[in-house]
Amino acid sequence: MKKHTKQDRPSSVLVAKDGRTVEEIRKDFPMTQALEHGHPLIYFNSGATSLKPVQVLDKMDRYYKEYGVNVARGVDKIGYDATKAYEDVRAQTARFIGAARPEEIIFTRNTTEALNLIAYAYGGSHIAEGDEIIVSVNEHHANYVPWQELAKRQGAKLVLVKPDKTGQVTPELLEEKMTTRTRLVALFHVSNVMGASNDLEALAEVSHRQGAVLVVDGAQGIVHHPVDVMKSDVDFYCFSGHKLLGPTGIGVLYGKADLLRAMPPWQFGGEMIDVVGDYETTFADIPARFEAGTMPIAEVLGLGEALAYVDRIGYDFIQAQIALLGQRMVEGLEALPNMEIYNASNYRNGVLAYNAKGIHPHDVAGVYDREGISIRAGHHCNQPTMRFLDVQSTLRASVNFYNTLDEVEHFIEVSKKAGDFLDVLF
Ligand SMILES: Cc1ncc(COP(=O)(O)O)c(C=O)c1O
């Protein structure tokens, strides 16, 4: 692996809010020490899920070892401790995204479940025949299929908005699609293929002018940008813990309190009720109304630790490190004649979508894999964007703040090798 000299090694110079360099930060992430096919693992698939720091793993471990009981069920001290820890993360999450109150935070399994919850509970009660739902053609399936299905169930119309060529849905493009029948707009914060960011404040303003609500898929957005739901005035914001240093199995749905209160529950059972009569039941207030059954308690606590970790290192560092790596990655791949990059000029947020000309991305991904580099190949749960780019599938390299310039250099060398090797093969 090529080593940088001290002078051309700016990644070491970048310092996180807690005063540490990336080399020090990497010690928190056990998987940075993992091997793949005998090579040090270079993990360039953070768009799929992030690596997890030991602080998150330890927090979950301590819960199971020290106070691993159910929440909101016991009147004993240990039950109180578990419930308090769980509810503290709700309040912490509200502060993290600038929500007005903790009860506006609903814990779900992931972004997908949060979006489905909105489609069922809000959509089922607020979208009527002939109403219009707007989605972009650069949405992940999680923010696309639930709206297709909702439109079918309610007899509503799905209206598609095409982003500009950088992949961004501008307020002007949204405005063109808005009508007096538009009731709901569902858009990504950051695209998982093109890396484009949407301006949430401007999009909320356009949506609200026609009385529509704005649902934001923040699965990728919150990884790269501080979120302030009150300032941007979005109505719903959804994200997954596992892309933001947290565990799998935990997601967050933020909704404005008045909207959540106007929604019926979508799952029924323990803890979401008020009074259960023989034939009729009344339901709990938010957030309990939307958290039926035993919740993923350890995962909620892990999420809290992940958010604390992000607070400690700071978004300024996250953005600067990712920008540095991304810039070099684009430069390096652009210099290779057999690589076609789909978002080179508008590269953002650590995501690079590209292909080796004429070669199936799965074959190329196999070459990277044998060299210890993990990237993604396929349609990235985003067939609409594949149609937008007019391709079947792509390679996707996605970096995070725990990656290094040395890793990027090795990635570029292997990209070159992959091209040459495949030239010989095909
Ligand atoms: C933009 C976007 N939305 C939604 C999702 C779905 O997230 P999850 O699988 O955690 O529900 C993803 C995951 O890749 C994503 O990138």
Side-chain angles (χ1 to χ4, degrees):
M1 193 183 296
K2 179 178 172 243
K3 288 272 173 253
H4 289 265
T5 62
K6 237 187 168 121
Q7 294 91 313
D8 69 354
R9 238 180 146 178
S11 76
S12 317
V13 176
L14 287 175
V15 174
K17 205 170 99 190
D18 63 5
R20 294 187 303 157
T21 61
V22 66
E23 282 78 12
E24 289 164 317
I25 284 172
R26 279 168 70 81
K27 295 186 185 131
D28 289 339
F29 291 84
M31 271 186 61
T32 61
Q33 307 304 311
L35 297 177
E36 186 162 270
H37 297 298
H39 299 278
L41 171 68
I42 295 182
Y43 186 68
F44 279 10
N45 199 4
S46 288
T49 196
S50 72
L51 302 182
K52 325 297 175 199
V54 282
Q55 289 84 346
V56 167
L57 310 178
D58 289 349
K59 180 79 182 189
M60 296 170 71
D61 200 40
R62 276 205 310 282
Y63 161 71
Y64 282 122
K65 285 178 177 160
E66 294 169 18
Y67 56 105
V69 300
N70 214 331
V71 299
R73 271 128 174 119
V75 289
D76 45 3
K77 160 97 171 62
I78 202 167
Y80 171 83
D81 288 348
T83 306
K84 178 158 182 343
Y86 180 87
E87 290 303 328
D88 282 352
V89 176
R90 194 190 305 282
Q92 179 191 2
T93 309
R95 286 193 302 277
F96 191 85
I97 63 167
R101 9 187 127 68
E103 62 269 28
E104 294 183 318
I105 302 298
I106 312 291
F107 291 124
T108 63
R109 228 163 22 103
N110 48 35
T111 307
T112 304
E113 189 174 67
L115 290 163
N116 275 279
L117 192 165
I118 304 168
Y120 273 90
Y122 183 86
S125 57
H126 288 76
I127 305 289
E129 196 174 337
D131 285 346
E132 293 176 9
I133 300 164
I134 299 182
V135 296
S136 90
V137 298
N138 276 18
E139 301 302 326
H140 187 281
H141 298 161
N143 196 32
Y144 200 87
V145 185
W147 309 117
Q148 279 181 334
E149 292 299 307
L150 172 67
K152 271 194 248 161
R153 283 197 302 277
Q154 305 298 111
K157 184 173 162 200
L158 192 72
V159 177
L160 304 182
V161 56
K162 208 169 155 186
D164 66 15
K165 61 179 184 325
T166 72
Q168 193 192 17
V169 181
T170 62
E172 295 73 26
L173 288 169
L174 176 61
E175 182 111 54
E176 282 170 22
K177 298 288 174 179
M178 298 291 298
T179 74
T180 53
R181 293 308 303 263
T182 310
R183 296 282 176 270
L184 189 145
V185 177
L187 296 170
F188 61 86
H189 186 182
V190 166
S191 151
N192 69 316
V193 179
M194 303 279 286
S197 303
N198 278 332
D199 177 348
L200 301 185
E201 207 169 327
L203 295 170
E205 212 266 311
V206 172
S207 307
H208 293 160
R209 229 182 286 149
Q210 288 290 358
V213 293
L214 177 64
V215 177
V216 179
D217 168 0
Q220 301 288 343
I222 199 163
V223 177
H224 298 277
H225 301 282
V227 172
D228 188 333
V229 289
M230 269 206 288
K231 181 163 178 287
S232 59
D233 202 23
V234 301
D235 300 286
F236 297 100
Y237 190 96
C238 310
F239 67 96
S240 299
H242 72 92
K243 293 193 198 276
L244 188 65
L245 314 183
T248 54
I250 180 66
V252 170
L253 159 62
Y254 157 80
K256 287 180 179 165
D258 56 335
L259 295 176
L260 291 173
R261 287 208 167 93
M263 288 157 55
W266 80 313
Q267 288 178 342
F268 302 88
E271 289 308 321
M272 52 73 67
I273 52 85
D274 178 21
V275 177
V276 180
D278 283 350
Y279 296 103
E280 286 295 331
T281 292
T282 55
F283 302 112
D285 193 6
I286 59 169
R289 181 188 305 180
F290 296 109
E291 292 182 1
T294 297
M295 295 295 287
I297 303 161
E299 287 74 10
V300 167
L301 303 187
L303 171 70
E305 208 51 40
L307 300 184
Y309 195 98
V310 173
D311 274 339
R312 278 198 302 278
I313 61 169
Y315 275 104
D316 286 348
F317 168 72
I318 293 173
Q319 290 173 345
Q321 177 71 4
I322 290 174
L324 179 79
L325 302 174
Q327 209 50 52
R328 177 67 195 121
M329 205 158 76
V330 176
E331 257 172 45
L333 282 202
E334 272 194 315
L336 304 180
N338 52 351
M339 294 292 173
E340 184 170 17
I341 309 177
Y342 301 110
N343 60 342
S345 59
N346 50 289
Y347 167 81
R348 301 259 187 302
N349 297 313
V351 189
L352 196 64
Y354 66 106
N355 266 322
K357 286 178 192 159
I359 302 166
H360 196 282
H362 283 165
D363 294 325
V364 191
V367 175
Y368 283 112
D369 177 51
R370 283 192 288 283
E371 297 279 344
I373 300 175
S374 172
I375 61 165
R376 188 156 173 198
H379 56 59
H380 319 297
C381 299
N382 200 324
Q383 291 176 18
T385 301
M386 297 300 108
R387 288 195 290 278
F388 178 78
L389 294 173
D390 198 19
V391 293
Q392 287 289 322
S393 51
T394 73
L395 295 160
R396 183 186 72 178
S398 51
V399 294
N400 210 331
F401 63 84
Y402 40 66
N403 292 122
T404 65
L405 271 179
D406 282 343
E407 289 183 322
V408 173
E409 293 303 335
H410 190 55
F411 165 80
I412 294 166
E413 277 170 36
V414 173
S415 301
K416 183 167 183 312
K417 219 158 93 178
D420 295 347
F421 163 75
L422 290 162
D423 276 352
V424 175
L425 265 189
F426 295 92

